[in-house]
Amino acid sequence: MSAITFIKELIKQQEHHSLEFKSSWNVEAILNTICAFLNTDGGWIIVGHNEKELIGLTDINENKVNQLKQQ
């Protein structure tokens, strides 16, 4: 299964204990979710989707992802 197909399958689901949607690039909220997943069985975070539709975050770039990794 390709990564794109996998993400599309995740988006078809509703949020649950191992899947959370974030409609905006909020580092604190993303890190809180990562910590929660680390304290359980792990999970997936879909950023740029609000559980109903793709919001599309055009301002996410490699620098922002690297900033998140450094936190």
Side-chain angles (χ1 to χ4, degrees):
M1 176 184 301
S2 73
I4 301 230
T5 302
F6 181 71
I7 292 169
K8 286 180 179 180
E9 290 299 316
L10 285 175
I11 289 173
K12 289 180 184 177
Q13 301 178 34
Q14 293 182 350
E15 280 190 334
H16 52 79
H17 70 282
S18 63
L19 175 63
E20 189 155 335
F21 294 99
K22 300 291 184 192
S23 61
S24 64
W25 184 264
N26 179 323
V27 172
E28 184 175 342
I30 293 169
L31 290 174
N32 284 338
T33 301
I34 290 170
C35 288
F37 285 159
L38 288 170
N39 288 320
T40 59
D41 294 323
W44 297 96
I45 304 168
I46 305 294
V47 179
H49 199 281
N50 69 2
E51 201 173 356
K52 294 181 183 178
E53 64 183 342
L54 180 65
I55 303 298
L57 302 177
T58 59
D59 62 337
I60 295 177
N61 56 43
E62 190 172 339
N63 289 335
K64 283 190 173 187
V65 173
N66 287 333
Q67 179 186 21
L68 182 64
K69 289 178 181 180
Q70 293 173 2
Q71 295 292 321

